[in-house]
């Protein structure tokens, strides 16, 4: 008869032996579930091992009794009691095991979820893991909820945007009245203005979130300027889609492009000045005095101006869209909005394609 | 409306003629601290502030080292305007804001742009009027820009 490494401890009350080692093991394993570093496969292996062991131990629990039966002097009820206790212990053991496996399953699902999130983040080119930027460590609940609210809002915004693009597409192919088309154009414009409002709100919570364009796909971020599209670039993309334009319109659009360029340059130079100011403040005084020196708080004060820049950039985008709608006819504006929507879709498709196309392993 | 003689001279030659000569000229071109423009000071008194507003076709009031002020100045310079720039020290900030509000009859925020002796607005207004094309004619009318 072969007993594996279970130890028998005399039970105080009944004079029977209980494999306390087994109970101990269940307890240890409950603790280890909270350690996220154990991979799912290891956990499953351990579970299987324990399952096998518990089955053999249940058998073992009966063996001592059969041994004792050889002494015919043992009263019948004592044997019955022992059997009952064994059954009870086995039942409890099974319950514990069930609970343990349930916890294992939950952990496994959570792990799969986390791995998927990680993969998504990697594909989007976000920096994940290590360092102060990882996740939202150390950011207050208010910031987190501001960002969460924005991300939910953006998802809805994107759904509505896709609907509007479809409507524009069919409206331009069909013969709808000028008034109906105008309504579509106005909705499209308001929809963008709504996005600018949302961005302004989340910029107050975390301006770096807006500056990084985290809610956008990678290709969109590649083209971003101060948290969004560059108005003059947008005009270059859209205007060829809106041909034919009258001579006056061509002149107006040309002037608009130039004004955008000048405004963008002024804002870019202001950003450069901000970087210089923050850098100079941060680097002032002597180094080698530790990290939490007054310079850091002073630099942070200067950095507040970044919120203004984000707002001014969105203001510029809004004014540009507005001005275009004045210059163009309703039909041209509708074509412009459709082109803009489809251009963004293509950028998103590009990001997707990029993330999924096979590459040489590094 | 009193404009100083400096208005009539294009800013490049003006800067070269003032004290400091070459290095200041280069600094000026680089944008220096305030984004360019002719630097003026105020002691925060009514007379001082009124003088500045009235004597300049375009003047920008802003906090010292303010980046938004820098943006306004760069934009105006890019259009060919030679704006007067008044950088206000923190101590004088409240006084200047008060005086300016009285000129305007209402609340003022930095940066504040005055054109032709009247309040024009802040960076928002400068940006939107530039996009709509209204800014340049207004500047020309005030004598801040020549064709």
């Amino acid at each position: 008869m072969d007993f594996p490494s279970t130890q028998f401890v005399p039970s105080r009350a009944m004079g029977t032996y209980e494999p306390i080692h087994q109970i101990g093991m269940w307890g240890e394993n409950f603790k280890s579930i909270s350690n996220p570093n154990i991979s799912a496969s290891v956990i499953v292996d351990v579970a299987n091992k324990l399952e096998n062991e518990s089955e053999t131990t249940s058998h073992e629990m009966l063996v001592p009794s059969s041994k004792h039966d050889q002494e015919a002097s043992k009263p019948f009820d004592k044997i019955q009691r022992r059997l009952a206790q064994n059954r009870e212990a086995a039942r409890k053991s099974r319950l514990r095991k069930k609970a343990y496996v349930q916890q294992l399953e939950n952990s496994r699902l959570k792990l799969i979820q986390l791995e998927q999130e990680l993969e998504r983040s990697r594909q989007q080119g976000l920096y994940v893991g290590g360092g102060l930027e990882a996740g939202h460590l150390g950011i207050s609940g208010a910031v987190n909820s501001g960002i969460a609210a924005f991300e939910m809002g953006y998802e809805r915004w994107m759904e509505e945007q896709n609907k509007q693009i479809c409507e524009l597409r069919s409206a331009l192919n069909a013969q709808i009245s000028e008034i109906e088309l105008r309504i579509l154009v106005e909705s499209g414009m308001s929809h963008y203005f709504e996005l600018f409002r949302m961005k302004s709100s989340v910029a107050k919570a975390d301006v770096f979130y807006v500056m990084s364009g985290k809610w956008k796909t990678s290709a969109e971020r590649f083209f971003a300027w101060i948290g969004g599209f560059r108005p003059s670039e947008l005009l270059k993309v859209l205007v060829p889609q809106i041909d034919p334009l009258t001579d006056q319109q061509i002149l107006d659009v040309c002037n608009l492009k130039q004004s955008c360029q000048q405004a963008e340059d002024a804002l870019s130079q202001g950003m450069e000045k901000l970087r210089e100011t923050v850098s100079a403040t941060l680097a002032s005084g002597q180094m080698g005095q530790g990290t939490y020196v007054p310079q850091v708080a002073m630099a942070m004060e200067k950095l507040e101006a970044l919120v203004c820049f984000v707002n001014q950039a969105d203001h510029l985008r809004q004014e540009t869209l507005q001005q275009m709608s004045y210059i163009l006819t309703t039909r041209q504006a509708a074509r412009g909005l459709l082109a803009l929507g489809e251009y963004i879709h293509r950028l998103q498709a590009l990001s997707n394609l990029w993330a999924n196309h096979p590459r040489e392993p590094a | 409306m009193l404009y100083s003689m400096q208005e009539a001279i294009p800013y490049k030659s003006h800067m070269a003629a003032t004290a400091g000569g070459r290095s200041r000229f280069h600094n000026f071109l680089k944008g220096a601290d305030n984004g360019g423009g002719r630097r003026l000071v105020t002691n925060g008194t009514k007379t001082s502030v009124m003088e500045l507003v009235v004597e300049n076709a375009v003047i920008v009031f802003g906090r010292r080292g303010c980046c938004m002020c820098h943006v306004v100045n760069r934009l105006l310079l890019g259009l060919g305007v030679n704006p007067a720039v008044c950088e206000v020290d923190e101590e004088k900030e409240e006084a200047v804001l008060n005086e300016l509000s009285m000129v305007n009859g209402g609340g003022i925020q930095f940066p504040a742009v005055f054109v032709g002796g009247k309040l024009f607005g802040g960076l928002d207004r400068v940006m939107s009027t530039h996009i709509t094309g209204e800014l340049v004619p207004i500047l020309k009318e005030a004598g801040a820009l020549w064709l």
Side-chain angles (χ1 to χ4, degrees):
Chain A
M1 218 107 10
D2 210 41
F3 296 104
S5 58
T6 31
Q7 285 162 13
F8 289 91
V9 176
S11 158
R12 266 172 290 127
M14 293 299 158
T16 52
Y17 293 96
E18 261 188 293
I20 197 135
H21 177 62
Q22 182 198 28
I23 299 168
M25 269 167 74
W26 286 128
E28 275 162 27
N29 282 309
F30 273 113
K31 277 186 237 143
S32 68
I33 283 173
S34 57
N35 181 351
N37 285 330
I38 294 182
S39 79
S41 52
V42 170
I43 293 174
V44 172
D45 279 344
V46 171
N48 284 334
K49 196 158 154 259
L50 286 170
E51 189 172 321
N52 293 335
E53 280 191 27
S54 78
E55 275 167 11
T56 42
T57 357
S58 329
H59 280 297
E60 285 152 24
M61 283 161 71
L62 296 174
V63 169
S65 359
S66 61
K67 252 187 160 179
H68 287 271
D69 273 348
Q70 289 165 16
E71 302 169 35
S73 53
K74 283 284 179 195
F76 179 70
D77 52 352
K78 261 197 185 169
I79 295 170
Q80 285 304 314
R81 223 180 310 146
R82 203 181 302 128
L83 285 174
Q85 280 155 18
N86 284 344
R87 277 196 296 274
E88 188 54 39
R91 192 181 73 86
K92 285 198 187 131
S93 179
R94 279 193 298 275
L95 283 174
R96 277 197 302 272
K97 178 182 155 186
K98 212 173 161 188
Y100 170 61
V101 168
Q102 186 59 46
Q103 257 193 314
L104 274 181
E105 282 299 301
N106 293 344
S107 300
R108 194 175 132 262
L109 286 172
K110 185 111 217 304
L111 197 70
I112 291 173
Q113 237 176 24
L114 286 172
E115 282 179 7
Q116 282 176 352
E117 259 180 58
L118 206 66
E119 197 44 43
R120 258 202 305 273
S121 304
R122 283 215 187 96
Q123 283 181 5
Q124 290 181 25
L126 298 175
Y127 175 64
V128 179
L132 292 169
E133 290 173 65
H136 291 121
L137 294 168
I139 298 183
S140 74
V143 170
N144 258 342
S145 67
I147 291 175
F150 176 83
E151 289 185 339
M152 266 177 18
Y154 183 70
E155 216 178 289
R156 283 196 302 267
W157 189 91
M158 231 25 248
E159 282 170 18
E160 176 63 29
Q161 172 79 344
N162 294 337
K163 250 189 1 204
Q164 288 188 1
I165 294 300
C166 286
E167 276 176 354
L168 272 173
R169 205 179 285 122
S170 37
L172 284 169
N173 288 331
Q175 289 288 55
I176 77 167
S177 68
E178 164 94 10
I179 297 179
E180 285 172 306
L181 200 55
R182 188 78 230 166
I183 292 174
L184 285 180
V185 168
E186 291 299 320
S187 313
M189 305 270 294
S190 312
H191 198 56
Y192 281 110
F193 301 166
E194 172 65 32
L195 181 61
F196 298 145
R197 269 196 298 277
M198 284 164 55
K199 282 168 72 184
S200 173
S201 193
V202 76
K204 287 193 202 107
D206 184 0
V207 71
F208 284 119
Y209 175 80
V210 179
M211 284 296 293
S212 70
K214 278 205 173 107
W215 70 94
K216 293 192 272 210
T217 62
S218 40
E220 288 175 273
R221 265 179 275 129
F222 174 60
F223 286 101
W225 169 80
I226 313 187
F229 59 79
R230 194 185 266 271
S232 58
E233 260 177 33
L234 202 67
L235 290 177
K236 281 193 210 122
V237 166
L238 297 184
V239 169
Q241 303 291 324
I242 313 178
D243 279 345
L245 298 170
T246 66
D247 285 345
Q248 182 60 46
Q249 284 179 324
I250 292 175
L251 183 62
D252 288 340
V253 168
C254 216
N255 287 335
L256 179 58
K257 221 183 282 182
Q258 191 185 36
S259 304
C260 280
Q261 196 71 65
Q262 289 163 333
E264 287 163 23
D265 286 348
L267 281 173
S268 294
Q269 286 171 54
M271 283 287 282
E272 193 47 49
K273 163 89 195 280
L274 181 61
R275 280 189 205 103
E276 281 170 22
T277 308
V278 172
S279 176
T281 308
L282 211 51
S284 67
Q286 293 209 323
M287 299 292 185
Q289 293 174 345
T291 323
Y292 291 97
V293 290
Q295 284 89 334
V296 177
M298 278 160 45
M300 201 189 77
E301 260 181 58
K302 308 262 155 119
L303 206 50
E304 300 283 348
L306 200 51
V307 180
C308 288
F309 276 101
V310 167
N311 289 336
Q312 284 299 328
D314 275 347
H315 177 65
L316 186 62
R317 290 174 189 116
Q318 181 155 334
E319 292 296 313
T320 305
L321 284 174
Q322 193 73 271
Q323 185 67 5
M324 275 301 269
S325 80
Y326 295 153
I327 295 174
L328 301 175
T329 64
T330 306
R331 193 163 189 89
Q332 287 170 329
R335 289 224 297 277
L337 282 174
L338 178 59
L340 176 53
E342 293 199 337
Y343 181 65
I344 294 174
H345 279 164
R346 289 192 191 183
L347 278 175
Q348 292 171 342
L350 174 60
S351 306
N352 217 1
L353 194 62
W354 179 261
N356 290 314
H357 92 257
R359 240 165 272 147
E360 297 269 311
Chain B
M1 209 82 60
L2 291 168
Y3 295 138
S4 66
M5 281 303 292
Q6 293 164 336
E7 300 299 324
I9 303 170
Y11 71 90
K12 275 188 197 165
S13 47
H14 165 74
M15 284 313 294
T18 54
R22 194 161 194 261
S23 57
R24 264 190 80 184
F25 181 54
H26 278 192
N27 256 355
F28 180 86
L29 284 185
K30 245 182 73 184
D33 287 350
N34 61 359
R38 296 170 295 112
R39 299 168 87 163
L40 304 173
V41 283
T42 177
N43 54 15
T45 60
K46 189 189 178 93
T47 7
S48 163
V49 169
M50 287 307 297
E51 254 175 30
L52 289 175
V53 167
V54 157
E55 288 176 5
N56 293 285
V58 179
I59 179 163
V60 181
F61 290 91
R63 285 185 198 92
R64 191 173 297 285
C66 169
C67 294
M68 285 317 180
C69 205
H70 191 98
V71 174
V72 176
N73 293 335
R74 295 312 293 178
L75 183 56
L76 291 173
L77 275 170
L79 298 178
V81 176
N82 181 24
V85 178
C86 181
E87 287 180 319
V88 183
D89 289 321
E90 213 176 315
E91 317 88 64
K92 306 240 173 56
E93 208 175 292
E94 211 184 306
V96 174
L97 279 170
N98 270 335
E99 292 304 325
L100 290 175
S101 303
M102 283 196 260
V103 172
N104 180 53
I108 296 245
Q109 281 177 339
F110 286 146
V113 182
F114 284 76
V115 177
K118 289 196 300 252
L119 174 68
F120 183 74
L123 180 55
D124 263 7
R125 179 130 199 263
V126 171
M127 284 289 184
S128 25
T129 50
H130 185 49
I131 293 299
T132 57
E134 298 167 87
L135 182 60
V136 167
I138 292 175
L139 290 171
K140 282 191 181 155
E141 208 188 300
L145 254 187
W146 287 270
L147 194 58

